[in-house]
Amino acid sequence: MKGAQGWQLGSMADMQILPGSRHRPSLKRPIWIIFLVSLVSLFLVCAYIYPPHGNAACYVFSSGGCKALTNWLPPAPARELTDEEIISWVVFRDILNTPPVQSKNSKIAFMFLTPSSLPFEKLWDMFFRWCRYELSYDWTYGEIDKGHFHNTCQGHEGKFSVYVHASKEKPVHVSRYFLNREIRSGEVLWGKISMVDAERRLLAHALKDPENQHFVLLSESCVPLHNFDYVYNYLMHANVSFVDCFVDPGPHGNGRYSERMLPEVEKKNFRKGAQWFSMRRQHALIVMADSLYYSRFRDYCKPGLDGKNCIADEHYLPTFFHMIDPGGIANWSVTHVDWSERKWHPKSYRAQDVTDELLKNITSIDLSVHVTSNEKSEERVQACLWNGIKRPCYLFARKFYPETLDKLMMLLNF
Ligand SMILES: *[C@@H]1O[C@H](CO)[C@@H](O)[C@H](O)[C@H]1NC(C)=O
Ligand SMILES: *[C@@H]1O[C@H](CO)[C@@H](O)[C@H](O)[C@H]1NC(C)=O
Ligand SMILES: *[C@@H]1O[C@H](CO)[C@@H](O)[C@H](O)[C@H]1NC(C)=O
């Protein structure tokens, strides 16, 4: 740039000479040269400021073609990667380039992160078992028998597996699909890295089964919105992982970023997103392979550090995937939650809130909306594209109070 500026200043000074020169004949040659030099320098300045893009422009600007000119331009400043980064990136690249294992039985791992018993186990049981839950008239008692299950349940055995991380107390189970499915758990504190540790623990256990191809993280207050086949086909045939990810320039987004994460995590790559992911096997594997970025979030993204309230489970995976495989994630979560009240916690549904209309509303949403936490409260709206086709965004929803179970059982009727 310095050189170009020099030329420009020079040429402007030269031009000022032109009108003022009286001895025209004797100066004829120098003026001609000066004019030519000015023209060339102007040309070079233009070429520098507006680098050619099309082939025609290449031809005009350089006889050696585009390549020569591109080489002439200074390279974009690139940071030299640290040893740790190079080690991580080669491992990630090879995992991402490995084609999925072809197994006869591709399963979805449903991973439940809960303090203790799961209030919606009965609903999940119905989801996995796929029984018609019908309001049938019981002739013996002369009343409507709501709990009547047909004997002809078509189970989805072999197409799913269940993992439970119960951090506080041993759950009591009512469904056989959940019996003995607890993994060894650890303490989970809200906002702390122990939340991410629990997610990684669940992924590690679920990855032990080579038939698990897709991994869904769910909380105790999550419920399914569609029947098993719908969920199975939606996830198994999607070409991305559903990891929520967006830029929040406000205090609850970028305001939580710490420069102590440099050089590996730059502010421009810092992202936010809901914790409830669903991911393909390769993505679960790169999460296992990552210790570099994990350690930066463990050490520098925590509540109270430098007066910031960084929540690792809301930033680590969104930032990680944005850096490693941005095109491989959908940028929204398949678990619906209602933040429209704009309070500290999302809306929690009571029994009276659970209606056919509410469920229809949630299942028909096909736009994902992110609201930034700055004063402008900008809405970032994005169509939910599933393999390029606009589809409903959500397969699961939270947060529901345990009291909603019976109503959900009746209304969902998978
Ligand atoms: C998600 O966002 C990233 C930019 O952060 C973009 O590159 C990617 O294509 C998006 N994914 C989809 C499926 O649109
Ligand atoms: C469903 O959506 C409609 C239209 O947006 C809205 O008017 C209605 O209040 C919603 N109902 C519930 C129960 O959320
Ligand atoms: C997923 O499929 C859509 C539609 O074919 C395509 O546009 C998109 O690039 C694919 N994404 C990936 C990560 O393969």
Side-chain angles (χ1 to χ4, degrees), residues 71 92 108 119 147 171 173 183 205 255 270 302 305 335 361 370 387 403 405 407:
N71 289 345
F92 299 152
I108 293 180
H173 296 292
I183 64 162
H205 279 268
F270 198 65
K302 49 185 165 186
L305 181 80
T335 298
N361 275 8
H370 288 115
N387 293 4
E403 67 185 42
L405 175 65
K407 259 186 137 174

Side-chain angles (χ1 to χ4, degrees), residues 348-414:
S348 292
Y349 302 105
R350 293 264 175 211
Q352 73 259 24
D353 302 323
V354 177
T355 57
D356 213 26
E357 189 188 329
L358 174 77
L359 297 174
K360 286 217 171 80
N361 275 8
I362 296 176
T363 49
S364 64
I365 298 169
D366 56 9
L367 294 173
S368 122
V369 180
H370 288 115
V371 181
T372 63
S373 64
N374 51 358
E375 279 176 14
K376 282 189 256 167
S377 254
E378 295 162 67
E379 283 197 352
R380 306 259 159 88
V381 184
Q382 168 203 0
C384 291
L385 295 181
W386 182 92
N387 293 4
I389 310 158
K390 198 170 174 189
R391 301 252 327 239
C393 309
Y394 303 113
L395 303 178
F396 313 104
R398 55 193 279 271
K399 305 174 88 165
F400 289 84
Y401 279 105
E403 67 185 42
T404 58
L405 175 65
D406 288 341
K407 259 186 137 174
L408 286 167
M409 292 278 290
M410 204 142 61
L411 290 171
L412 286 166
N413 190 20
F414 299 123

